[in-house]
Amino acid sequence: MIELKNITKTFSEGNISVHAVKDVSLVIDKGEIFGIIGFSGAGKSTLVRCINLLERPDAGKVFVDGKDLTALKARDLRSARKKIGMIFQHFNLMPSRTVAGNVEYSLFGSGLSKEAKRKKVRELLSLVDIADKEKAYPSQLSGGQKQRVAIVRALAMHPEILLFDEVTAALDPEMVREVLDVMLDLAKQGSTMIIVTHEMQFAEAVADRVYFLDKGNIVETGRPKSFFSAPKTERARQFLNIFEFESIKDEKEEYNI
């Protein structure tokens, strides 16, 4: 479904260059759930944005369902992107539109009648249990509800691939669970999903494979069970130790230890 060949992306400002992604190659099969993890600044978000060419790589090729996206003209690229839904860390909802209006906007150009669009929107909102919020505006929603609207908006055109870029990072802890539950339901439906996440337990439970990215390089990859229980590289061990420490600290704070 997805193949990246020798993807490289560098950002430059003045005399300073940041090599965000360095010669990364990977293959993701149809229906696979693929977790990308790593330290902040490792290049995770840049890599996932290269998949739909929101960030155009400086070198390398991106194939989606056999098509080289890097070789497509603008019109053909827009058409190819309809197969790819992306959900961002920050919800990017339109504040002047209702929840229903935000989702319906994604159906522009679908050829559906006005009534068919409204029916579709209600079905999608019911899927993530916020049908009662269709007339509300983003400012009236919690962070978790906003993210669920963003997920539904991405689902509106029935994408074959879903990209999640740290979608729980901007949420309060109590809202994280509700969004992860929605993602878990989508995973059970057989969607091809690429998930950039700092939720290690979720990655371990849901992903078919995990890629550990560090300083723009893929340092280690493996099945979640083997990666999380016995990482092969020192850098991955350091990363997982930090999360284990944070988890213990959170438990102590929760129980006032």
Side-chain angles (χ1 to χ4, degrees), residues 55-68:
E55 293 289 355
R56 185 171 283 270
D58 300 319
K61 294 181 181 294
V62 178
F63 292 88
V64 173
D65 204 15
K67 285 185 179 179
D68 180 3

Side-chain angles (χ1 to χ4, degrees), residues 156-251:
M157 293 299 290
H158 298 289
E160 296 176 17
I161 298 164
L162 289 170
L163 308 178
F164 293 89
D165 186 12
E166 295 278 21
V167 296
T168 61
L171 301 179
D172 292 332
E174 64 269 21
M175 297 175 185
V176 169
R177 184 71 256 169
E178 64 182 78
V179 174
L180 293 182
D181 284 343
V182 171
M183 293 169 65
L184 185 59
D185 287 341
L186 292 174
K188 291 175 181 176
Q189 294 173 23
S191 302
T192 302
M193 296 167 58
I194 298 89
I195 303 170
V196 175
T197 184
H198 63 282
E199 301 290 341
M200 295 301 105
Q201 289 181 325
F202 181 74
E204 185 174 7
V206 173
D208 296 306
R209 277 190 294 156
V210 172
Y211 269 55
F212 175 64
L213 204 67
D214 189 46
K215 298 178 182 177
N217 296 296
I218 293 176
V219 174
E220 189 171 340
T221 183
R223 300 292 177 184
K225 186 176 180 179
S226 59
F227 176 82
F228 285 103
S229 62
K232 297 180 178 68
T233 61
E234 178 59 28
R235 192 64 171 157
R237 284 192 288 272
Q238 291 172 357
F239 174 75
L240 293 177
N241 284 341
I242 289 172
F243 272 93
E244 186 175 349
F245 171 77
E246 290 296 332
S247 178
I248 291 170
K249 187 175 72 172
D250 290 344
E251 286 183 19

